[in-house]
């Protein structure tokens, strides 16, 4: 059984779909690449999540137009993967040049090769493969896999429901401990992460936990700062369970909520809950930003919203095998919401005298509407 627990047929179906695309595009092979920190592209096909740090462990999956798939890993991970991945042909990443040379010799010409994961491919591997591929360059093919990953199967959504519930558990444990007082940012982040670790989950990306003046920053590594009464505490957890991730955050207050924070705090929750109700399949994803802008303006917090909702991932992003994956959510997101999409929808208000506010949940698009995979947004925070 692989890392995710999904049946082998799921992965073979994905391979068959890619092979059809290779025929359509006239490609000989698709080279899918990930590193050990952002493994989503290759996990999608190999069902193996590399153990990082113990070695440089890039992960490559080579999908030919016809025939079996080959998985490339660092030497240590390759041994482990033999007992986990459904792929039988597993090799050291350092042999990939020889592998391409053998394919080229068998074909009698250079390989017409699509590449997925260009942003992650180290220069050293790219340079070594250049002489073996047509025109000494890869054909950028991220969109093939991005479009596949963007729409989840029911089996994947069930796994994302589980990790979404785990994110809720993690956040609730932190909120409960915060209510007892006398705790630092680092100690509170440890409470949240313990709930993830104790059930076999791992940390998909760094936990963000900031209090007081630290909440004005867009990201923050927890410090030894003690959390004081009346301070906002922004908690953003990213558990990974069975290969799938959540990206969930809430802002709460230590003790009583200051008078000046009561109205914007409630508005931040109401606006995020409201956008979930208004999201519908068939609508452009830009409606998320538009809803936030309109609702923030009506509530009197346009400036506090606009100043942070700029650039990439302004109001969220896709989530699945990676904490952050395609597509991007901002004011220019023109793609349509389609059943099966799972999006981390994020609402920030920053620039208040007391600090900043963030709420973020995973939202699944369904035939009749959308729903949050996190219930914490409906708790009495």
């Amino acid at each position: 059984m692989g890392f995710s627990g999904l049946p082998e047929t799921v992965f073979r179906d994905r391979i068959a779909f890619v092979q059809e695309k290779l025929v359509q595009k006239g490609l000989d092979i698709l080279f899918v690449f990930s590193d050990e920190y952002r493994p989503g592209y290759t996990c999608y096909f190999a069902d193996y999540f590399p153990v990082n740090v113990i070695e440089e462990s890039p992960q490559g999956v080579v999908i030919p137009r016809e025939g079996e798939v080959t998985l490339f890993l660092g030497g240590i991970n390759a041994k482990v993967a033999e007992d986990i991945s459904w792929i039988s042909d597993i090799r050291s990443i350092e042999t990939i040049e020889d592998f391409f040379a053998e394919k080229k010799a068998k074909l009698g010409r250079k390989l017409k090769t699509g590449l997925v994961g260009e942003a992650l491919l180290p220069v050293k591997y790219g340079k070594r493969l250049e002489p073996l591929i047509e025109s000494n360059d890869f054909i950028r093919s991220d969109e093939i896999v991005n479009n596949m990953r963007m729409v989840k199967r029911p089996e994947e959504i069930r796994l994302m429901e589980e990790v979404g519930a785990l994110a809720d558990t993690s956040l609730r444990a932190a909120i409960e401990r915060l209510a007892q007082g006398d705790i630092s940012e680092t100690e509170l982040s440890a409470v949240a992460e313990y709930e993830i670790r104790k059930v076999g989950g791992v940390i998909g990306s760094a936990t963000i936990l900031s209090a007081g003046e630290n909440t004005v920053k867009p990201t923050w590594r927890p410090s030894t700062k003690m959390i004081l009464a009346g301070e906002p505490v922004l908690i953003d957890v990213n558990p990974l369970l069975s290969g799938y991730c959540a990206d969930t955050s809430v802002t709460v207050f230590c003790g009583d909520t200051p008078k000046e924070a009561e109205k914007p705090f409630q508005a931040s929750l109401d606006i995020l809950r409201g956008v979930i109700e208004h999201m519908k399949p068939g609508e452009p994803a830009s409606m998320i930003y538009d809803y936030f802008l309109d609702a923030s303006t009506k509530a009197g917090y346009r400036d506090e919203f606009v100043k942070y909702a700029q650039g990439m991932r302004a109001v969220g992003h896709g989530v699945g095998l990676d904490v952050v994956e395609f597509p991007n959510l901002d004011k220019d997101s023109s793609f349509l919401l389609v059943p099966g999409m799972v999006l981390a929808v994020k609402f920030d208000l920053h620039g208040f005298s007391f600090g900043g506010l963030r709420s973020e949940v995973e939202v699944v698009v369904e035939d009749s509407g959308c729903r949050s995979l996190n219930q914490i947004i409906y708790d009495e925070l």
Side-chain angles (χ1 to χ4, degrees), residues 115-126:
L115 173 64
V116 174
E118 176 187 10
L120 306 177
L121 182 67
V123 171
K124 69 175 184 178
Y125 294 117

Side-chain angles (χ1 to χ4, degrees), residues 2-16 42-48 86 153 244:
F3 190 78
S4 68
L6 294 173
E8 183 177 322
T9 52
V10 169
F11 301 95
R12 290 200 175 275
D13 286 347
R14 291 171 180 170
I15 298 299
T42 47
C43 282
Y44 189 70
F45 298 106
D47 202 18
Y48 178 71
W86 67 276
R153 295 168 56 127
Y244 285 81

